[in-house]
Amino acid sequence: MINREFFQALEEFAKEKIISREVLVDALESGIAAAYKKEYGESKPIAVRFNEERQTVNVYAHRIVVEEVEDPDQQISLEEAREIKSTYKIGDIVIEDITPKEFSRIAAQTAKQVIMQKLNDAKKEFVRNEMTERQGELVNAVVRRKEGPTVYVEISGSQMEGVMAQSDQIPTETYNVGDVIKVFIKKIREGRNGPQVVVSRSSAGFVRKLFEMEVPEIKAGLVKIAGIVREGGFRTKLAVYSEDPNVDAVGACIGNKGVRVNAVVGELAGEKVDVIEWCSDAIEYIARALSPAQVLMVSINEEEKTARVVVPDEKLSLAIGRNGQNARLAAKLTGWKIDVKPYSSVMAAEGAAEEEAADAE
């Protein structure tokens, strides 16, 4: 049985390098076997073999030689076997070429269904394994289509599709079909049609990878990232430190004349990025986390994990940030609940307390 289309398909799939040649051959053999059984109703063990050089497909039946046949589909008598080949003996396997000249339309459809199912299963497994290994990486991708707020991209260097939900997009950006963008491989999830590669541009991991690319000291381990928090499109706070006293962790991330941090900001479409030095002292760390605001005083309640921060009146809006964003990110970065107060209100409260105390006397 010769079918050149099978071998053309084999070559095309092999070129795409998504599915191995062995998996393809196995899928095609399973499909032909299913078609044969559909056509002839055979329950005997059969095997399909491909000869790629000759571009032929052959179907073989396997039966064992026995003295007394109990299952004609599985067994063959010694007498009948010796009619095929005189040297057969009890226990031998008789292989018969039962290749049909052609299949009916229904049998061919069965073969196609089996083949496509196996190939789809193999492709899903490939996506799961390949992308699981690349989870947490930053990759280039091409925007292929948009469905409502969801953007679908093709990950460069593969034919994998990435899904970027609205929550994983930078709100200030617009994505057009054909755009080449960087995306962060966030996770692999199981969808209705198999594994999906979830990608993001709004996650903190996206910024972390950008800094790893731009700052050699981070990649080398000389500068370490203690924490990173982000509200995509608006602000990122990055806490860094170095165990080497000769290395300026913040300076390494900023770069000469800001070249490194500006490269990151450029990729983030102008998003504000605060790079601060991590500190084990909670009071000092909280004060630094509220950058770029100036902090006058920090008092903490370790049991409740709360902090009261006093800032100059004119710096209050800067410390809190638009819609509370700066203070909120500082709280996430440090792990402390932060209450920001202007200097005048603190002084007024202290003055009132002193007056009450004096009256009580």
Side-chain angles (χ1 to χ4, degrees):
M1 180 175 65
I2 299 175
N3 192 324
R4 297 184 185 279
E5 290 183 2
F6 280 132
F7 295 95
Q8 289 173 357
L10 188 66
E11 289 299 324
E12 290 301 316
F13 275 109
K15 286 178 183 177
E16 291 179 4
K17 297 180 180 179
I18 291 180
I19 300 171
S20 70
R21 199 175 197 85
E22 292 76 16
V23 171
L24 284 166
V25 170
D26 178 67
L28 294 173
E29 288 178 351
S30 298
I32 296 296
Y36 185 90
K37 290 183 178 182
K38 181 75 173 180
E39 184 85 359
Y40 298 99
E42 298 280 0
S43 59
K44 68 180 66 173
I46 63 172
V48 179
R49 294 292 177 264
F50 281 71
N51 186 320
E52 295 185 43
E53 290 183 3
R54 297 182 180 180
Q55 292 197 338
T56 59
V57 182
N58 293 90
V59 182
Y60 298 96
H62 295 219
R63 288 189 290 173
I64 188 169
V65 179
V66 295
E67 289 183 2
E68 186 176 344
V69 177
E70 296 179 356
D71 184 350
D73 288 328
Q74 306 281 338
Q75 302 165 335
I76 185 172
S77 68
L78 180 60
E79 181 181 356
E80 187 180 351
R82 285 182 172 173
E83 289 178 2
I84 300 171
K85 188 178 179 181
S86 61
T87 56
Y88 276 130
K89 57 184 182 298
I90 299 298
D92 285 349
I93 302 296
V94 175
I95 300 175
E96 302 171 81
D97 189 337
I98 55 174
T99 306
K101 290 184 178 180
E102 61 181 14
F103 285 126
S104 67
R105 183 181 60 81
I106 295 175
Q109 185 65 27
T110 299
K112 182 179 179 181
Q113 290 173 351
V114 171
I115 291 167
M116 293 311 298
Q117 182 61 49
K118 280 189 167 288
L119 293 182
N120 285 335
D121 290 345
K123 188 171 182 179
K124 289 174 185 177
E125 188 63 24
F126 175 86
V127 172
R128 186 181 290 106
N129 294 338
E130 174 80 4
M131 291 298 110
T132 296
E133 290 180 3
R134 301 185 70 181
Q135 190 168 318
E137 288 186 12
L138 201 64
V139 297
N140 289 324
V142 180
V143 177
R144 290 304 184 200
R145 71 182 196 278
K146 297 170 71 175
E147 293 181 6
T150 305
V151 175
Y152 294 86
V153 302
E154 181 182 313
I155 297 171
S156 300
S158 73
Q159 292 187 347
M160 301 300 104
E161 183 179 71
V163 181
M164 187 163 62
Q166 188 171 22
S167 59
D168 283 309
Q169 299 167 27
I170 296 178
T172 55
E173 290 184 335
T174 301
Y175 308 102
N176 299 308
V177 174
D179 287 352
V180 178
I181 59 175
K182 283 185 173 66
V183 295
F184 177 73
I185 299 179
K186 192 174 177 182
K187 62 181 179 180
I188 313 301
R189 72 182 179 197
E190 291 298 322
R192 266 183 285 178
N193 298 318
Q196 285 186 323
V197 183
V198 179
V199 300
S200 176
R201 281 182 60 83
S202 67
S203 67
F206 182 76
V207 180
R208 177 187 289 269
K209 286 297 176 181
L210 287 175
F211 270 101
E212 288 179 3
M213 288 173 56
E214 296 294 335
V215 183
E217 290 87 346
I218 292 179
K219 194 170 185 179
L222 294 173
V223 173
K224 298 181 180 180
I225 298 175
I228 180 170
V229 292
R230 183 184 185 204
E231 290 189 6
F234 302 101
R235 194 174 215 106
T236 290
K237 285 187 179 289
L238 176 74
V240 295
Y241 70 98
S242 177
E243 295 173 347
D244 187 337
N246 297 317
V247 175
D248 177 3
V250 174
C253 293
I254 299 297
N256 186 30
K257 297 182 179 179
V259 65
R260 292 176 177 176
V261 72
N262 286 341
V264 173
V265 171
E267 181 62 39
L268 301 178
E271 181 176 318
K272 291 181 175 63
V273 177
D274 301 326
V275 182
I276 67 168
E277 187 171 5
W278 176 83
C279 179
S280 59
D281 180 84
I283 291 176
E284 180 62 28
Y285 189 32
I286 291 168
R288 294 176 183 179
L290 283 166
S291 173
Q294 176 189 353
V295 173
L296 299 176
M297 184 182 72
V298 177
S299 59
I300 61 174
N301 183 322
E302 293 189 3
E303 289 185 3
E304 297 180 2
K305 202 76 173 177
T306 59
R308 188 179 74 159
V309 178
V310 180
V311 299
D313 287 30
E314 66 275 13
K315 300 294 182 181
L316 179 63
S317 60
L318 184 63
I320 294 174
R322 180 180 294 180
N323 299 320
Q325 186 181 80
N326 195 57
R328 185 166 58 248
L329 286 174
K332 287 181 180 179
L333 185 66
T334 61
W336 289 75
K337 184 177 180 181
I338 299 174
D339 182 21
V340 182
K341 297 291 186 183
Y343 179 75
S344 60
S345 70
V346 173
M347 293 304 294
E350 289 181 358
E354 289 176 0
E355 288 182 9
E356 288 182 10
D359 292 341
E361 293 176 358

